[in-house]
Amino acid sequence: MTSIIRHEDCLAHNTGSRSPERAARVTSVLGGLQGLKGLEYLPAPKARAEQISRVHPELFQARLGELEPLEGLVSVTEEDTIMSRGTLDAVLRGSGAICFGIDQLIAGKTDNVFCVTRPPGHHAEQEIARGFCFYNHVAVGARHAQTHEAIEKVAILDFDVHHGNGTQAIFEDDPSVLFVSSHQMPLYPGSGYAEETGAGNILNLPLAPGAGSQEFRDAWSTLGLPAIHSFEPDIILISAGFDAHYRDPLGQIELEDIDYRWITEQAMGLAQDSAKGRLVSILEGGYDMQALASASRAHVEALI
Ligand SMILES: [Zn+2]
């Protein structure tokens, strides 16, 4: 059984009419999954403050709470990182989804998990909301996983077209978490050079604009997947952005649906090797509605 965790609060986060990070992203993903067998749909609980506090200081959480408007829109840090009434509820559902998914998995109630939530999280640093992101869900998930006795080492696999600067910043001094990211370079947020290695636990796989299936698979096959294999993680978390798809308007990488099936199958193989199959994925970016539907369907077909 594959669990799809989502919540309608994720639709209420309003970013205005011009932002590509909009509620239709989630409905497109869920629409793409229609008709698939072997799925159970579960509502995301809100993350508790102590779960968020393992990554984001309480003062930062309080500051975001003060910034959230009762009406209208407010930009935070960057012009396109927008809060409305309901933003923090959506954010808490995202972090809550991954924590809940991890609990379900470790309790043996599901085989793997895909959290279909927004806004995304991988650009959020400890005390910086940016790049459409407020709390770093995958980082909160990694820290939550480590509260379980069975989990010491967490591998985070990030195939979003943008570098997961926030995830890197949060874990760059912590060898209990391996972060491997493929991303277009140059592109927002500007970090993610191969030379950025943290405590030996950060592996960046930058891809040139125009790169496609071959370059993506070569980078993962020669560097990314072997690194995760040698790390022997107890769980694999996926920052699943679908904006490296050829249709996506924000990136210039040319992946196709079948590449998302491939990377998912590779991750599942690695999870079988050392992590008893434990794998939890969460939606990050992806801004073409048709590509979101078809690429996330390929991702979930592999999970099933
Ligand atoms: Zn992205």
Side-chain angles (χ1 to χ4, degrees):
M1 181 72 74
T2 292
S3 302
I4 306 296
I5 306 181
R6 80 284 183 255
H7 199 281
E8 60 190 15
D9 280 359
C10 293
L11 305 177
H13 165 50
N14 176 10
T15 52
S17 56
R18 291 207 300 271
S19 176
E21 203 294 284
R22 58 187 68 161
R25 298 178 57 246
V26 158
T27 44
S28 296
V29 170
L30 293 173
L33 303 183
Q34 278 184 0
L36 288 179
K37 295 200 165 56
L39 297 180
E40 65 166 353
Y41 288 82
L42 298 170
K46 281 189 195 175
R48 301 187 302 275
E50 76 254 26
Q51 293 174 318
I52 303 296
S53 298
R54 295 184 190 121
V55 172
H56 302 288
E58 282 169 31
L59 260 175
F60 173 68
Q61 297 175 51
R63 202 160 71 235
L64 283 183
E66 287 162 16
L67 285 169
E68 185 181 276
L70 286 172
E71 54 184 292
L73 307 178
V74 171
S75 285
V76 182
T77 319
E78 292 167 348
E79 199 180 338
D80 59 3
T81 302
I82 295 168
M83 296 186 90
S84 69
R85 184 173 191 161
T87 292
L88 289 177
D89 281 348
V91 171
L92 289 172
R93 297 290 177 187
S95 288
I98 193 164
C99 293
F100 174 58
I102 288 163
D103 291 345
Q104 291 284 105
L105 190 68
I106 291 173
K109 294 178 180 171
T110 187
D111 295 323
N112 51 46
V113 176
F114 182 40
C115 304
V116 184
T117 54
R118 66 178 279 273
H122 73 154
H123 294 307
E125 301 181 20
Q126 288 95 327
E127 299 184 73
I128 306 174
R130 59 180 296 200
F132 310 145
C133 304
F134 299 88
Y135 295 157
N136 192 314
H137 311 305
V138 82
V140 170
R143 285 290 181 239
H144 180 71
Q146 289 178 320
T147 67
H148 286 275
E149 208 168 305
I151 310 294
E152 287 177 24
K153 293 190 286 181
V154 181
I156 301 174
L157 189 164
D158 185 331
F159 56 68
D160 189 282
V161 81
H162 303 96
H163 179 236
N165 61 290
T167 313
Q168 174 170 308
I170 289 161
F171 295 117
E172 63 190 352
D173 297 322
D174 180 356
S176 72
V177 177
L178 174 69
F179 177 59
V180 186
S181 171
S182 63
H183 44 270
Q184 179 181 323
M185 199 153 210
L187 189 65
Y188 181 91
S191 53
Y193 288 91
E195 292 75 15
E196 298 164 22
T197 55
N201 64 322
I202 305 291
L203 177 57
N204 285 308
L205 308 171
L207 300 169
S213 173
Q214 190 67 49
E215 293 86 350
F216 176 81
R217 294 189 189 206
D218 282 352
W220 281 102
S221 297
T222 57
L223 294 169
L225 301 171
I228 296 173
H229 180 78
S230 329
F231 182 66
E232 298 184 333
D234 300 309
I235 189 170
I236 295 179
L237 305 181
I238 300 183
S239 270
F242 297 97
D243 41 10
H245 195 280
Y246 75 93
R247 290 185 55 92
D248 195 275
L250 268 57
Q252 289 83 43
I253 302 294
E254 308 286 328
L255 297 191
E256 299 183 31
D257 297 342
I258 195 170
D259 296 311
Y260 291 99
R261 177 191 292 272
W262 177 82
I263 189 66
T264 308
E265 287 169 350
Q266 300 302 313
M268 290 176 73
L270 291 172
Q272 284 299 342
D273 289 344
S274 69
K276 301 191 166 74
R278 291 187 283 248
L279 186 152
V280 175
S281 175
I282 185 163
L283 178 66
E284 296 280 3
Y287 304 96
D288 177 83
M289 300 306 139
Q290 189 179 318
L292 271 171
S294 59
S296 61
R297 185 181 176 96
H299 178 56
V300 172
E301 281 174 345
L303 292 179
I304 294 169

